Amino acid sequence: MTGFRSLSSRLRALEPEAFGADPSGERLARIRRSPHFKDGVFQNPGGVARTRPSGSMSEFAKVFFDRDQRPRRAPQGTLPVHATTLADIARPPATGLRLTWMGHSSVLAEIDGHRVLFDPVWGERCSPFPFVGPKRLHPVPLPLAALGPVDVVVISHDHYDHLDLPTIKALAGTDTVFAVPLGVGAHLERWGVSADRLRELDWHEATRIGGLTLTATPARHFCGRGLRNTQHTLWASWSVAGTEHRIYHSGDTGYFEGFKDIGAEHGPFDATMIQIGAYSDFWPDIHMTPEEGMRAHLDLQGGRPHGVLLPIHWATFNLAFHAWAEPGEWTKAAADAVGQAAALPVPGQPFEPAGVLPVEPWWRGVGYVPDRRWPVPELAATASREDLDLVAEA
């Protein structure tokens, strides 16, 4: 047995640093005490979620290698990027709330005098290796060092396109606090973040940072970085409440009825950042289509259009089979269908949800947009007749 342990130790030493670390000690004991941890793994709301591609491998390969569709999964020209400057984000937002989408799920939220950075990924690839894996389709709008002080970094889960080793190591040298789901702190500690700067939360737990209350809320997804992952780190969406404003970041999630409960307890929200990209019929339980994303937003707002929706988790990395520009086009169609305000900024373009919104479909002419009738939510199923009349009058 000693020989086997020695071999195991040597193999672990060869693993890339980006694999992070498995929870252990009191962190693992806390995980095992979680009401959401059962039979050795964290459980999804709404029942078991398929985390691996469904269907046969031959069907999967047929779609993956389709010669006509593969070119449509990437932009055909140079993506417009707003070269964010310190001047853009140095002055306080006039309304108290400003969002800057940096691409994919990375968003800088300036809320009631505090700066919150969600799922920061500044690396070139979302991969444990620098030479292989999905590569950026556009440059980051500004260097991480030019971002300025951040009060709290919020991580939704430990997948490579949300938890990026080089980005975290750069932020580890600052004095920012990290709010993460239960178990994820093991990765950050290995990468140099001190334990006293971690706020590690189970679903429905909250932490107070400055004048903000951050609550880890449920999501329907999964976790994993290394070869030995056993569902021992949690995934979460996040509610952030300031003195005047409330915002929500979905992380990665499939659609589930729990959005209504989150909205009832923590909403309504001035702005939601909702995952609407990297969906597929091969994994319908763990990512939302734009139609489902719009339904989630409406659920969070009590069943009617309210606030502003910012679509995230698209345009930056090629992670699914749909056309690159499809999430933007579908989100716009869904928003128009129900009368919901949606912000459609190019990466790096700051905007205030209570101000003038960026609404131009900038992806047209850059990527292939399918000519089709998009499925959209049935607003009547979630809103009262009075709500529908208000939408019609708007």
Side-chain angles (χ1 to χ4, degrees):
M1 291 296 292
T2 302
F4 283 115
R5 285 197 296 270
S6 177
L7 176 61
S8 176
S9 297
R10 289 198 299 269
L11 289 175
R12 279 198 295 272
L14 294 175
E15 291 180 353
E17 185 182 14
F19 277 9
D22 292 333
S24 60
E26 176 51 34
R27 178 176 280 118
L28 182 57
R30 187 181 167 204
I31 287 170
R32 289 171 173 163
R33 293 194 299 267
S34 169
H36 310 110
F37 192 79
K38 182 181 178 182
D39 299 328
V41 295
F42 278 111
Q43 305 291 316
N44 264 303
V48 176
R50 290 165 291 176
T51 59
R52 297 182 182 276
S54 59
S56 69
M57 286 305 298
S58 60
E59 292 174 331
F60 187 86
K62 182 179 179 181
V63 174
F64 183 81
F65 292 107
D66 187 289
R67 290 185 177 181
D68 293 330
Q69 296 300 321
R70 289 195 76 179
R72 297 174 176 178
R73 298 176 201 159
Q76 302 305 303
T78 302
L79 268 68
V81 174
H82 180 87
T84 316
T85 66
L86 186 59
D88 287 323
I89 54 179
R91 63 185 184 280
T95 62
L97 177 62
R98 180 167 59 213
L99 302 179
T100 307
W101 178 52
M102 299 296 179
H104 202 57
S105 295
S106 303
V107 182
L108 174 66
E110 298 166 272
I111 172 172
D112 298 337
H114 298 80
R115 305 177 92 227
V116 182
L117 185 59
F118 291 96
D119 284 356
V121 174
W122 258 251
E124 279 300 304
R125 294 184 186 271
C126 47
S127 166
F129 307 103
F131 52 85
V132 69
K135 190 176 182 180
R136 280 188 167 274
L137 301 174
H138 65 80
V140 291
L142 82 168
L144 188 62
L147 195 62
V150 173
D151 296 294
V152 55
V153 172
V154 177
I155 303 297
S156 65
H157 63 297
D158 70 359
H159 286 161
Y160 292 102
D161 58 321
H162 297 259
L163 181 62
D164 179 56
L165 168 63
T167 304
I168 296 301
K169 293 192 80 168
L171 291 167
T174 69
D175 59 359
T176 188
V177 175
F178 292 81
V180 303
L182 190 56
V184 174
H187 299 310
L188 273 64
E189 282 196 55
R190 183 183 178 189
W191 299 336
V193 178
S194 59
D196 64 332
R197 289 165 55 203
L198 290 173
R199 306 293 184 268
E200 202 162 343
L201 307 182
D202 201 348
W203 289 340
H204 308 298
E205 292 181 342
T207 186
R208 186 82 174 168
I209 300 174
L212 301 178
T213 299
L214 296 93
T215 306
T217 47
R220 188 165 164 79
H221 200 57
F222 68 113
C223 64
R225 293 181 75 83
L227 300 177
R228 298 173 291 110
N229 183 271
T230 53
Q231 294 289 75
H232 274 64
T233 63
L234 189 59
W235 48 96
S237 57
W238 289 87
S239 164
V240 178
T243 54
E244 300 293 334
H245 296 91
R246 293 171 179 263
I247 57 178
Y248 172 86
H249 190 283
S250 72
D252 278 3
T253 180
Y255 178 81
F256 68 113
E257 290 294 319
F259 290 116
K260 297 174 183 177
D261 297 328
I262 295 170
E265 185 170 356
H266 302 286
F269 298 97
D270 298 282
T272 67
M273 295 153 272
I274 302 288
Q275 172 261 306
I276 52 86
Y279 47 84
S280 172
D281 291 338
F282 286 104
W283 48 82
D285 297 341
I286 56 174
H287 280 170
M288 292 189 291
T289 67
E291 185 270 337
E292 291 171 321
M294 183 58 66
R295 274 198 282 145
H297 173 89
L298 295 173
D299 288 349
L300 290 162
Q301 307 290 36
R304 63 182 181 85
H306 180 79
V308 173
L309 181 150
L310 171 64
I312 60 172
H313 202 265
W314 76 290
T316 302
F317 298 105
N318 186 349
L319 302 177
F321 303 134
H322 56 67
W324 170 81
E326 182 176 300
E329 196 71 19
W330 193 350
T331 298
K332 179 173 170 52
D336 291 345
V338 299
Q340 171 60 51
L344 305 170
V346 300
Q349 181 181 4
F351 71 93
E352 300 191 28
V356 178
L357 298 180
V359 296
E360 291 300 315
W362 55 268
W363 54 86
R364 293 176 184 171
V366 181
Y368 168 79
V369 178
D371 183 12
R372 58 172 292 192
R373 185 178 179 87
W374 301 101
V376 296
E378 291 288 339
L379 183 60
T382 56
S384 68
R385 173 49 55 187
E386 292 179 356
D387 293 328
L388 291 171
D389 290 342
L390 289 173
V391 171
E393 293 172 2

